Amino acid sequence: MTPAQIALAVLAALGMLALAVASLFIFLELSAVHLPRLAAPAGLTEPEKAAALDAWLDELERREKFNGTILVARDGRTVLQRNIGAADTDGRPIGDRTSFNLASVSKQMTAFAILLLEHEGKLSTGDLLTRHIPELHRHGKVTINHLLEHTSGLPDYALDKALARRLEATAMLLTPDGLIDWLAAYPRAPDFAPGEREDYVNSNYVLLAEIVARVSGLSFADFMRTRVFTPLGMRHSAVIDRREKEALLSDRAFGFRKRFLHAGRPVRFDLTPLDGLAGDGNIYASAGDLVIWDQALRQGTLLPAETYARAYRPVRLSNGEIVREKVLGETLQPGLGWNVQDMPVVTAYGRWQAFSNFYRRDLVQGTVLVVLSNSGFFLRTAMIGERLAAFLSR
């Protein structure tokens, strides 16, 4: 063979190898999100539905499709809880009291803290950001409302790969002060004027947590502990970040994944150098505590229910247009940490590292569905939640 023919043969072989690898990856990805069928034919009795659900959960466990906890409650009473898999790479079993990183499900709790302080007259959601964080004077038209509604135009620290690489290289941890410095020095102008558009940005809720801290005189973690979790009896909930309090919970789930994505031994996939922050995530809770939280919101235990109802209203832009987002072909209408397009049903999703979560509350029927995973694919966890919701509503 001539050198040219050899080169062509090598290129062809490499092309076939690349195609084979890509095909294998696609197959594994599709297999990962493929779930066994969960059917509820008309006419099933409640015991028969319970048996069908148990069999489906058994199949999820057998096929290793889920690692975490699933809970169903009605009117504050748990009617089903199933714990599957391990809380860490050592195989510690998940229990009823295991606390999971809620990731973005945390945001609705951060919004609650802001609304609580407003109810007490300690701030107004119409306040300019600079009233509470004057260091961000370049964003002088942004209000607390803009942060709550993701209409601020600020950049998202969690999507900045250069920032993540710099933190990793210098072994530094991103703290609220570091985030404020990053925002103050960010080289690009905002993508839009506050209120003009909606863009889901984690930085917004970190700043809200910092405002809670500055207004209350407590750290965000201490505020949530003393003003929310302890009064409500949420004994397995806490704000945890890498600055402090990492050992605060006795039964904390740690994120992990398989070493080679779909194969290999389990390896830690938990907090990162970005996790010196909270508010956008890093609130931990057990599934049972989320039932307590649901009841507190319904009953107005800490904040009148009619005041908190604002969190369920769809976000509107400054021109009055209701925000609608397209996610995986579905249209979502965001509220304050909730998806509210299906009112009176509200949902929240979360994903960070190996954690993926689904939280669904029916405000009329009084039902709660919690799906928390510390080792799973976000899409698969969301699909499990949606299939459970459809099954339980039949």
Side-chain angles (χ1 to χ4, degrees):
M1 295 177 68
T2 67
Q5 289 173 324
I6 293 173
L8 287 173
V10 169
L11 287 174
L14 289 174
M16 291 296 292
L17 178 61
L19 180 61
V21 170
S23 299
L24 177 61
F25 178 78
I26 292 170
F27 172 77
L28 291 173
E29 288 291 293
L30 291 174
S31 297
V33 298
H34 178 71
L35 297 174
R37 186 167 177 263
L38 176 60
L44 285 186
T45 64
E46 285 303 313
E48 288 171 335
K49 283 183 70 174
L53 181 55
D54 276 339
W56 189 70
L57 295 174
D58 287 342
E59 191 66 8
L60 289 183
E61 182 170 11
R62 186 185 71 80
R63 297 192 194 182
E64 297 184 349
K65 293 288 187 178
F66 183 71
N67 189 102
T69 188
I70 294 170
L71 181 148
V72 179
R74 183 174 292 111
D75 297 325
R77 182 177 62 86
T78 297
V79 296
L80 177 147
Q81 181 160 9
R82 184 71 171 268
N83 305 312
I84 296 172
D88 57 27
T89 54
D90 294 328
R92 174 169 53 91
I94 291 169
D96 289 356
R97 299 178 177 180
T98 303
S99 304
F100 293 78
N101 190 330
L102 298 182
S104 287
V105 176
S106 303
K107 288 182 172 71
Q108 45 89 21
M109 291 186 175
T110 304
F112 177 91
I114 289 288
L115 295 179
L116 179 62
L117 288 173
E118 181 175 53
H119 181 69
E120 295 172 347
K122 296 177 181 176
L123 58 76
S124 167
T125 52
D127 288 347
L128 291 172
L129 169 62
T130 51
R131 177 174 180 179
H132 303 287
I133 307 180
E135 303 97 299
L136 292 177
H137 54 83
R138 68 177 291 195
H139 301 290
K141 294 184 179 181
V142 174
T143 67
I144 292 177
N145 273 327
H146 292 135
L147 300 177
L148 285 167
E149 296 175 350
H150 289 295
T151 57
S152 68
L154 296 175
D156 194 338
Y157 78 92
L159 300 181
D160 192 304
K161 294 181 180 179
L163 173 63
R165 286 194 298 268
R166 185 167 74 249
L167 292 169
E168 196 72 47
T170 57
M172 291 181 64
L173 193 64
L174 186 64
T175 64
D177 286 344
L179 175 69
I180 290 168
D181 290 343
W182 179 79
L183 288 170
Y186 195 72
R188 282 184 15 225
D191 291 336
F192 54 87
E196 183 179 274
R197 284 169 37 198
E198 187 264 358
D199 187 21
Y200 187 93
V201 166
N202 289 284
S203 307
N204 293 324
Y205 273 71
V206 177
L207 293 177
L208 289 171
E210 179 65 8
I211 290 170
V212 169
R214 294 190 183 193
V215 169
S216 69
L218 301 169
S219 69
F220 181 63
D222 286 341
F223 179 89
M224 295 301 293
R225 176 176 56 83
T226 60
R227 297 296 314 279
V228 179
F229 300 144
T230 298
L232 294 180
M234 295 172 66
R235 296 183 179 86
H236 312 292
S237 299
V239 177
I240 294 180
D241 58 49
R242 288 186 58 184
R243 289 181 297 165
E244 56 182 349
K245 305 181 186 300
E246 280 207 79
L248 191 61
L249 295 167
S250 59
D251 191 2
R252 168 189 169 190
F254 290 84
F256 65 90
R257 67 180 181 186
K258 292 183 178 178
R259 183 170 186 177
F260 302 110
L261 190 60
H262 296 289
R265 65 180 180 83
V267 293
R268 181 74 68 87
F269 192 47
D270 201 66
L271 301 185
T272 77
L274 295 174
D275 287 306
L277 306 172
D280 59 333
N282 286 339
I283 293 179
Y284 284 68
S286 66
D289 274 7
L290 289 180
V291 177
I292 295 173
W293 177 244
D294 163 75
Q295 289 294 291
L297 295 180
R298 292 175 191 275
Q299 297 167 7
T301 307
L302 298 179
L303 182 65
E306 58 272 20
T307 300
Y308 185 70
R310 181 196 162 184
Y312 306 137
R313 293 201 294 266
V315 169
R316 291 179 182 269
L317 302 179
S318 54
N319 65 4
E321 178 186 345
I322 291 178
V323 170
R324 291 176 173 84
E325 300 175 342
K326 278 286 188 182
V327 180
L328 298 174
E330 298 291 327
T331 299
L332 304 181
Q333 291 181 357
L336 304 188
W338 298 106
N339 300 309
V340 300
Q341 71 281 347
D342 297 320
M343 280 290 288
V345 172
V346 296
T347 55
Y349 300 80
R351 178 183 67 84
W352 180 241
Q353 296 293 88
F355 291 94
S356 54
N357 311 304
F358 176 86
Y359 186 31
R360 181 186 187 272
R361 303 170 55 231
D362 188 317
L363 305 182
V364 171
Q365 297 297 323
T367 57
V368 176
L369 171 59
V370 181
V371 182
L372 305 175
S373 176
N374 61 315
S375 181
F377 299 94
F378 170 70
L379 178 58
R380 187 170 65 193
T381 300
M383 289 170 61
I384 288 171
E386 296 289 356
R387 291 199 185 181
L388 284 168
F391 177 86
L392 295 168
S393 64
R394 291 178 187 139

